[in-house]
Every structure is written in C-alpha cells, then in structure tokens.
C-alpha cells in the first residue's frame, strides 16, 4: 500500500498542539488510560494519513507503557509460570496486527477508523462494569489454553489499533479464571509493552511513522506520565474519565460523518 507522507514542516502552532496533546495523553494514561483516544484523532486533524497517525501514536506512547510497567515489576514477579509463553503469544499477535495494519493501507483503515474509535470508547467507558460482569461469570479454575487463545486475538487488535487494549486483556484474564485483579492489572501492563513494542519496531524499521511528530508527542507524554503519577492520588478519576469518554464520542461522530 502507498501511504500518504507528511511533507509540510511542523510549525510552532503544531508543536504546541502536539506537545499539549502528548501531555494530556500521558496524564490520562497514568491515571485512567485512554490516551490514544486523544492523540490519534488530533494527529489525523493535523494532516497525517490514517495509518501514519496510528503508527506514530504507537511509537510515541510506547515509552509510557515501559515506565508504567517498571512500577509493577514487584507484582509481576509473582505471576504464574506460563508468563514467558504468554509474552511469546503477545509478540506474535502484536506482529500480526501490525502487519495487517500496513497491509490494509490508508483507504481501508480510514473507513475502519470511526468503528475502531467507537469500540475503543465503549470499552473504555464501560470498562468497570465489563470487567466486573466478566469476573462474576468466570470459572473458579484457571484455563491456560483459553487464556493464551484470547490474549493472542487481543494482541492482534493491539498491534492493529491498540486503544483500550488493556480492557480486553483484563477481560481475557478474568474469563480464564484470574481472581487477583491487582496481579491481572500488572500483567496487562507487562504484556502491552511487548504487543506495542513489536509493532513499534516494525513501524520504525519500515519507516511508516512521522519522526518529528513522534518526538514532540513522546516528550509531552513522558512529562504527562510523570505528572499523572504524582497527582493520581490527589484528584478524583471520574472527571478525567468523563473527558476521555466525551473526546471519544466526539471524534467517533466526526469520522462517521466523514
């Protein structure tokens, strides 16, 4: 597929917008998640093609997932013994999803954008009742094969688009019988590092991302992640969750109209 490249220079106004949206995404990801629901539509509106906007989001926001995972390492070390196998499955699924994204091209992906945003917004908005319902209907025993299969398909989605991937992984773990949600949340962060990481490596190797935009958004998201981690215990989560949901609904509606 031929991807539309950005050729115009990034001016002061765009730098301010990109740094600001990266900051907001970093804060959001550190507190409630959903940062991609801010960054992806903004990159589209600033002139990046759909696929390049998506790949640029993946590359720019990946360092934040690594930072979050480092904080969970003491808990991750308590994970079940099959975690290395799950990492391998996550890498395979993430790579397949990233390859599917590049194979689909801008035209098909643009038509999928409103649906992807709508699904991600729905998952984010109803994440708590979704996970609660899944836990209530999950079996009392762990099913390792079922978990690997579900996480494989979650990883494909994550490599392709990625927004709300954490909710899908948490639901998969709950369905497989995981009862410790603190441990599940730590494992979710750990797996996302590999799902997004393998996708990021492919996008960088293929050159299918805008490096100037990436660096600006990345700087903002790193700062936002630090700020978000510092204030996470000081502010209520609900107002920010409502902002993320509103942004997802607005952007989904705009692209459905388009």
């Amino acid at each position: 597929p031929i991807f539309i490249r950005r050729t115009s220079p990034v001016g002061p106004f765009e730098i301010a917008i990109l740094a600001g949206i990266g900051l907001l995404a970093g804060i959001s990801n550190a507190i409630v998640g959903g940062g991609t629901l801010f960054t992806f539509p903004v990159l589209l509106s600033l002139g990046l093609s759909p696929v390049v906007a998506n790949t640029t989001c993946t590359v720019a926001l990946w360092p934040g997932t690594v930072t979050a995972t480092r904080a969970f390492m003491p808990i991750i070390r308590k994970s079940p013994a099959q975690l290395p196998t799950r990492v391998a499955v996550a890498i395979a699924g993430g790579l397949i999803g990233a390859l599917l994204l590049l194979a689909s091209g801008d035209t098909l992906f643009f038509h999928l954008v409103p649906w992807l945003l709508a699904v991600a917004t729905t998952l984010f908005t109803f994440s708590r009742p979704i996970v609660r319902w899944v836990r209530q209907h999950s079996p009392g025993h762990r099913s390792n094969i079922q978990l690997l299969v579900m996480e494989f398909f979650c990883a494909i989605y994550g490599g392709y688009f990625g927004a709300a991937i954490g909710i899908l992984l948490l639901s998969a773990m709950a369905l497989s019988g995981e009862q410790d949600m603190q441990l599940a949340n730590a494992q979710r962060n750990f797996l996302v590092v590999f799902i997004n990481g393998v996708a990021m490596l492919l996008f960088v190797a293929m050159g299918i991302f805008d490096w100037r935009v990436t660096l600006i958004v990345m700087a903002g998201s790193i700062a936002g992640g630090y700020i978000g981690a510092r204030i996470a215990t000081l502010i209520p989560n609900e107002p920010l969750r409502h902002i993320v949901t509103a942004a997802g609904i607005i952007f989904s509606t705009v692209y459905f109209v388009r």
Side-chain angles (χ1 to χ4, degrees), residues 3-4 8 10 12 25 41 47 56 63 86 90 95 97 119 136 233 237 240 247 254:
F3 303 101
I4 302 172
S8 59
V10 179
T56 299
R86 294 166 62 194
L95 180 60
V119 168
Q136 292 173 350
T233 59
N237 291 351
L240 185 54
V254 168

Side-chain angles (χ1 to χ4, degrees), residues 202-227:
L202 177 64
F203 300 152
V204 171
M206 296 290 292
I208 310 296
F209 75 107
D210 189 305
W211 65 269
R212 292 166 295 180
V213 171
T214 295
L215 292 178
I216 299 169
V217 175
M218 185 183 294
S221 68
I222 291 173
Y226 177 79
I227 295 172

Side-chain angles (χ1 to χ4, degrees), residues 131-142:
V131 174
R132 189 183 308 118
W133 184 89
V134 169
R135 288 184 65 191
Q136 292 173 350
H137 294 79
S138 64
H141 61 280
R142 295 183 61 88

Side-chain angles (χ1 to χ4, degrees), residues 90-102 152 155-156 159-160 198 202:
I91 291 173
L95 180 60
I96 291 172
L99 289 170
L100 287 174
L101 173 67
L102 298 184
F152 176 68
I156 292 175
Y160 190 83
V198 69
L202 177 64

Side-chain angles (χ1 to χ4, degrees), residues 149-163:
V149 171
M150 289 189 294
E151 287 184 343
F152 176 68
F153 286 103
C154 289
I156 292 175
Y157 168 82
Y160 190 83
F161 187 55

